[in-house]
Amino acid sequence: MSEWKELADYFRGRSMWMLHYCTGCGAIELPPTMTSRWDMERFGVVPMATPRQADILLITGYLSIKSLKRVVYTYEQMSAPKWVLGFGSCTINGGIYWDSYSVIKRLDKYIPVDLYIAGCMPRPEAILDSFVKLRELIKKGEAKGYEKYVKNFEWYKANQDKVFRRTTPVLKKPEEVTKSA
Amino acid sequence: MELRPLNVSNTNDKYKTYELFIGPNHPGISGNFSYVLDMEGHKVANVTPDPGLLHRGFEKLMERRLWTQNLALIPRICVPEPDVNEVAYCMGVEHLAGIEIPKHAQYIRVIVLEMARIAAFLFSFAGLGGSTGLYTAPNWSIGDRDYILDLFEWLTGGRVYHIYQYPGGVKKDIPDGWLDKLLELLDYLESRLPEYDNLIFRNPILQKRTKGVGYLPAEKAIKNGITGPNLRASGIKWDIRKAQPYLVYDELNFDIPITGEGDAFARTLQRRLELEESIKILRQCANQIPDGPYKVKIPNPFQFRVPAGSYYSKVESSKGEFGYYIVSDGDVKPYRVYVRGPSYSVGLYYANEIMRGMRIEDVPVWIHTMDICPPDFDR
Amino acid sequence: MLKHVEKLRGMGLEANPLKDWEFEVSVPKERVAEVLSYLKSTGFKAFIHLACVDWIDEGEFELVYNLESYEDALQAVVKTRIPRNNPTMESMISIWGLCQVYEREVHEFFGIEFVGNPNLKPFFLENWMDIPPLRKDFNTLVYSEELFEFKEDETHGIKAPKRIEHK
Amino acid sequence: MMFFLKLIQSIGVGALSISVGLLFMGIGRKITARIHRRYGPPAIQNFIDVFKLFSKNSISHGFAYDLGIIAGTSALLAAVVFLPVGQINLFPANSSLIMILYLMTMAYLGMAMGVSSSGNPNATIGISRALTMMMGYKVPFAAVIFSVYIFARTGSLTNIIAAQSGGLLNWNMIRLPFGFIAAEIALQGMLGEKPFDMAIAPAEIASGPMVEMSGKYLGFGMLQHAVGIFLETGIMVNLFMGGAPNVWIFVIKQFELFFIALLVNAILPRFRVEEGVSFMWKIPLLLGVIQALIVVL
Amino acid sequence: MNSNLIWLVFTPLIGSAIAAILYNYKFLDRLITFSTFAITLFLVFGTHVGQTYSMNLNFMGRMIPLSWNVTHLSIFMLYISIVFGTILTFYSLMDRSRMKGFLLLLILAANNWIFTTNDMVGFFFAWELMGWASIVSVLGGRKERKSRHAALYYALMSIGGSYSMFFGLFTLWRLTGSFSISSNLAYLSSIVGVHPWWVLGIVSLFFVTFMIKAGIFPFHTWVPMAYAYAPDTFTPFLSAVMSKYGIYGMLLFLPISLMEKGMPTVFGLPWVNYIFVWIGVITAVLGTVLAFFQDDVKKLFAYSSLSNLGYIVAAISLFTSVGVTAGIYHAFNHLLFKGALFITLAAVISRSGTSKLSEMGGLWKKMPVTFFTFFIGIASAAGIPPFNGFGSKWLIYQSMIKQHLLFATILLFLASTGAFLYLFKAFHSIFLGQLSHNYDNVKEVPVIGQIVEYLLMFAMIFFGIQPGYILRPVGLIVKSVGLNPLAVMGNGYVTGMFSNVDMPLIGWSLAISFVFGFILFFISAKHKYVSQEDNYTAGQIPQDWGLTPETYQFSWKFYEPMEKLFAPFYRIKIDGFFRGLGDWTRITGSAVKQVFVGNAQIYTLFAVVGLIILVIAGWVA
């Protein structure tokens, strides 16, 4: 049985279908990665149209709250095994939008991220490198974000709900806030 | 959670219309943006744009940063063509602060702007190719765009976000040999143009798919605040570079081609013709660029106070008029910056009108030929 | 251009040229529609943008309408001020249908009511409950600290959610 | 005994059709990549993809969905055993061309049933387009079938191959040139290559019928496409290129046809659906009718 | 012994009388209808080819000889119609629609009479009885107003047909002095070489009647109205059985070969036959094209019936051995699959309460047996092997290609592909897609209905893979009209002109590949079932947009791009004349309605008018 798993993991690593969801400005580096200059199809990575078909969810940069809600929905529509690549520094700590009221700061509080690509924005080489790294992680059986999500679903859900389902204003007393700034 | 009422079209029969979501996670949309279409059969009955998926609160963040700190922030407003943001912002700041920048720097700015324009045009060909299924077009044009990005990298150190402009000039001078390389690249691009013509513009099926799609008459274009190549494709001869010249555009010799049919094909052709003009401008710049300083000295950023006042500075980008309305109260930070993106009126308002009755096939073609760039209205 | 400025001055308005092709005119709130229709009739057919500035110290919002004339290659900036404690404004959608989206945005970010605009539903923001974010008294840093807890420093491991008490 | 022999042979033909189809798809990706000025994936990429898909979890919208998707592949596999493949001709008495075409319709029906039971309008628009396009290419192909039936005085592929024996000049490709061109254009539509791939247009309807397919369902879809390529090019080889003395030559002939389809695919965008159909009803149908008239008169 | 032919007619009449008395006891009424059908079926078992019977009837002082004669064709038709009728009445035991049993039994009496009679008077009376009984049956539809219009229009067309037949019959009687069909046909055959135009004229008078009954172009206009607004359980009978009366009539007259002398031929066919082939082809294409855009499911299938009858007419008009075999075979197949489809439609409509395609969807979850019956039905109708529709379609193509009828063949292919399109449209809109919450409480049909559905499924598969059971009797018919029957080798083969098809082999091949498909399906990674709301919405959360299943279901204007394609078709307003006629009927009808209120009166009025016309015709004679 484990041989089967290994074999399956080998094939998964060689054929990673990516969901081309332009969540942020990093999406501008994806067309060069996909097309003739860098050609990620060499690695078996193909852009897919819908979450149903995809293995990788590439979060290409910052996520506004509105976007995050859709990303979480999309992520839950993908079927396991699935992986998330956090792309660019915005997914790590909010990047240049660290003080924005609209952009989330840490992606892995809301969905499990298997691999981060640092940089603003990462070059196509970095993206390709991340695919190779992810392949290795899959082969080693270390990229198990989707299992983590199932196991810690409540934690993730609580974090998500805190952002999505507010029923009271975040800043209760605007006067005080103004003074402290 | 707020429940939006369903937009049922004039048929008032919920069985006859159905919802189709174009975006955010859809190959047919450019960027993270969404149109919710009420469809009747294969035709669109009603459109609800759903922006804000890329909203970052730029205008708020800029009020919190120093005048020069903002330079790192603003390129991210329009991703396919970030340099127009930098130039427009710097021009606005310079106008308010009364700084006159040297000729050399002005030429460099024009070179950067025109290169960015070519890159954006190549990107828009890719969009058209992708939306009609001609996948050779994106592969070629984005591949060629990358040569421009290489030159940018050499010049500025960044492939996409250059952060190269600075109030008072540019950050550093042109490296040795860069201009020769630029001329070489222009020759290469020119040699590629016939191939694009054969692949895209002389392709009978592509002509069939784009001719007559999203017809935009001139009065409607003006009324709906449409600018740039889309306006010119409707037959209005309006280009800020000619009409209200900034930088050194009045010293350069170039034409404004007008196609005038106002449909999707004309809009693409318009970009193709303007691409040639941009190559012409770049050649002139590379040959005429005078020697001199590349910047004037400005004070320490922490001391850099811009006199109180307000100014609307605008730049002709590949998508239309890109403007920054900058208000200063004499502090080290801007008091208010308003960004006017060219896609705003097209993507959020005019879409409602034009998409009604449009076939679903034509929707992505329309989106891509209008070159709607969601980040510039989400900000 | 000067003839426009003269004409506007003749209407009893404060108008002054800014640049070769640009002039600004300050209009009281009630006369905005009149001035805009006048300008539209004299060639300023393109509506470029509507911006809002929050002058918190003066207790006023400033609305900036920006128009362009393609025939004469001119730009007109029409400014008006409305009180901050009762921010209502007449909607301009009868002059430019386009104003609908601009006004909707200003309504969302500044909380200005536009009388006559049929659709002022949330636009860019979803489920927003605090004061409109582009007002000067909205503090984005505190807001994001409260909501996103980005300062806590934990490793990639999963930890129990931290409770945040609103002060 | 006979039954088991035929059964094993049929499984062999089925396996051959799947492997050849997947290999063609892989080589096709490579060739397309070269036209795009790319390097392209390895030629066996599609095998990897299919294995991965079958090892991936998936979602389903109910048994109609399962049944439809399985029927899509199975019916094509059931049809492929009746196709003479080189020297392998399992049921020589039973290779009626129209029967094979109608059996293929079962596959379309199954696939269409599966994907539209998911209830996604994107998929349904795709199906609506695919069926409309089917009406486009079936009609010129009918004209071609007419000419071949009259010309060869038989409707069995076995006999049609036999009638073309004796060198290149006896091939229907040479004898019925207009019919061949018409069938070639119809083949482009049957294979679902551009400019007739409006059914799966990703930019418009998010890859159409495939929109809800995940994991093994997509794997079945891929197998169906592979068998479809084999079957459709195989019919063309038997109809116009005189079949083949052995499997290798058969596959090479199939690849020639597929290669032409690929080249056309790479340089053309897709039609609107009614434009595609009216194109089919103009040029190929005209050619087919001219051919039929030549044969009849 | 031979008198059982009389009983074939009288048993249903007696049953009808009893049913009419028990009209108010719904279940008893239906039970009697069913048992009468069953008894009649039993009587048919006792009938054999060559049976004859004759008697004289005293009518207004004139002795009218009535005679019966059982041929291969009539016994074939008797069997298929009565077996189907029995199944249908069994199904309608549980039905709540307003079909009237006594009328159906009247039609049954007429049915048996038409198929067995050998005299024209009997034929005419039976035809009239059948016509009027069916017209009144149509009146009981779900939408009263529309049914009334449909019935009026149908009645008008029927009256036209009756005149035509009456004049033909009368002319023949004047010529020969005999009412016997067989001797009259023999007479016509003998003089066709001498007076071809006379013969043609007389035959065409009859053909108009038959074409009206079968709904052949240009007399097809009543079909969609009557089928759509008839009671749901009557439509199967209307479509499956009653349309075949026209085909039966045509088959009676076709053996009068017009090829003999002096007649020009086209492609080796007498030009009259050639014209009829084209009429068939036009009907087939027209039915298909009109069916694309229907939203009323019964109308859609009405046009589908039209299209199939076009096939049959085109095939039998060739009058070659393959053509006639294919035609009769297709008539049987059409009876089976269209009967099955209309029965499932009756089930769906009675459960969902609507016949609009755009308002249904996703019903497979609620009605799985009906779903499978419908699936096999459309697979048969689309001619997919190994189901029963394939063999006959395949033979029809071959017979057409054999005659080198290029354009007709291409058009038939077009109609066949088009059939697949509209069938799938109906399939999708009813059973697939999103299930509206309105139908959350819909249940499968009761056990009786399910039994019938299983039976029909079995029949469609059985006659698909064992076509020999039908092709043999069809071969006898073909032989009896003087053509060479098609060779039938075993029960599983369909022997065509260009190639053979082994249907069980196809069945095996499909079954085995399905087994492999299922094995692959179950050994590969697991799947989970999700609700229909969990669907790709491009990342948008559907609840935020107030999405409900019916607003995520695409079935309205399903083939919209084709409207553009077929725009030239619609410019030819062939239906305009008939639509005008229909309007005129409606106006007259409403004028009449002001005098006579109610259904029965209108029927009486038309009966009286028809009778008066008949009497006047008698005086003139």
Side-chain angles (χ1 to χ4, degrees), chain E residues 234-301:
Chain E
F234 182 61
T235 314
F237 199 76
L238 202 56
S239 163
V241 177
M242 294 188 62
S243 60
K244 305 299 177 302
Y245 298 146
I247 302 300
Y248 174 79
M250 287 188 188
L251 278 170
L252 282 184
F253 281 87
L254 272 173
I256 307 168
S257 175
L258 294 167
M259 216 187 326
E260 298 274 313
K261 289 160 207 113
M263 282 289 182
T265 58
V266 189
F267 288 108
L269 284 175
W271 65 267
V272 182
N273 288 31
Y274 185 71
I275 285 173
F276 269 93
V277 169
W278 268 103
I279 286 176
V281 169
I282 289 171
T283 313
V285 174
L286 194 72
T288 305
V289 172
L290 290 174
F292 286 142
F293 308 114
Q294 296 307 320
D295 192 45
D296 186 300
V297 63
K298 283 173 80 183
K299 241 179 200 173
L300 188 147
F301 279 99

Side-chain angles (χ1 to χ4, degrees), chain A residues 99 101 155 162 164 166 171 181, chain C residues 127 130 139-140 147 159 161:
Chain A
D99 51 352
Y101 55 87
W155 187 81
K162 179 167 187 266
F164 300 150
R166 299 188 302 276
L171 305 177
Chain C
N127 199 16
D130 294 80
N139 190 319
T140 172
L147 190 59
K159 282 184 186 171

Side-chain angles (χ1 to χ4, degrees), chain A residues 135-153:
Chain A
R135 178 188 283 181
E136 279 161 15
L137 285 179
I138 292 170
K139 240 183 248 169
K140 281 189 227 151
E142 285 172 7
K144 293 281 182 197
Y146 55 98
E147 287 176 5
K148 216 159 88 178
Y149 189 71
V150 175
K151 229 182 275 167
N152 301 294
F153 187 68

Side-chain angles (χ1 to χ4, degrees), chain A residues 16 18 23 26-27 29-30 33 40 45 56-62 83-95 107-108 113-135 137, chain C residues 156:
Chain A
M16 295 185 288
M18 176 193 82
T23 46
E29 281 292 34
L30 279 185
T33 320
M40 69 186 184
V45 184
I56 307 178
L57 180 59
L58 197 65
I59 306 294
T60 55
Y62 62 86
W83 300 280
V84 179
L85 290 184
F87 181 107
S89 45
C90 304
T91 54
I92 301 173
N93 56 11
L107 181 58
D108 57 6
V113 180
D114 292 284
L115 200 66
Y116 278 118
I117 313 167
C120 181
M121 55 193 50
R123 300 171 54 89
E125 290 96 325
I127 306 174
L128 294 184
D129 183 49
S130 79
F131 291 140
V132 177
K133 288 250 167 63
L134 183 65
R135 178 188 283 181
L137 285 179
Chain C
H156 279 272

Side-chain angles (χ1 to χ4, degrees), chain E residues 424-454:
Chain E
F424 184 76
K425 175 191 168 178
F427 187 42
H428 161 75
S429 308
I430 301 171
F431 288 106
L432 307 175
Q434 301 265 349
L435 178 70
S436 165
H437 289 309
N438 296 348
Y439 302 128
D440 279 350
N441 299 323
V442 166
K443 284 197 217 71
E444 180 58 280
V445 286
V447 183
I448 290 178
Q450 289 185 28
I451 292 170
V452 168
E453 284 172 352
Y454 281 120

Side-chain angles (χ1 to χ4, degrees), chain E residues 498-517:
Chain E
F498 293 97
S499 51
N500 306 333
V501 168
D502 184 353
M503 299 300 289
L505 184 64
I506 298 171
W508 274 113
S509 154
L510 264 176
I512 290 168
S513 60
F514 261 82
V515 168
F516 276 101

Side-chain angles (χ1 to χ4, degrees), chain E residues 72-73 251-252 254-256 319-321 324-325 328 474-484:
Chain E
H72 285 288
L73 181 59
L251 278 170
L252 282 184
L254 272 173
I256 307 168
F319 211 68
T320 58
S321 61
V324 175
T325 313
I328 301 173
V474 173
L476 295 175
I477 300 170
V478 172
K479 206 169 169 186
S480 72
V481 299
L483 294 167
N484 289 326

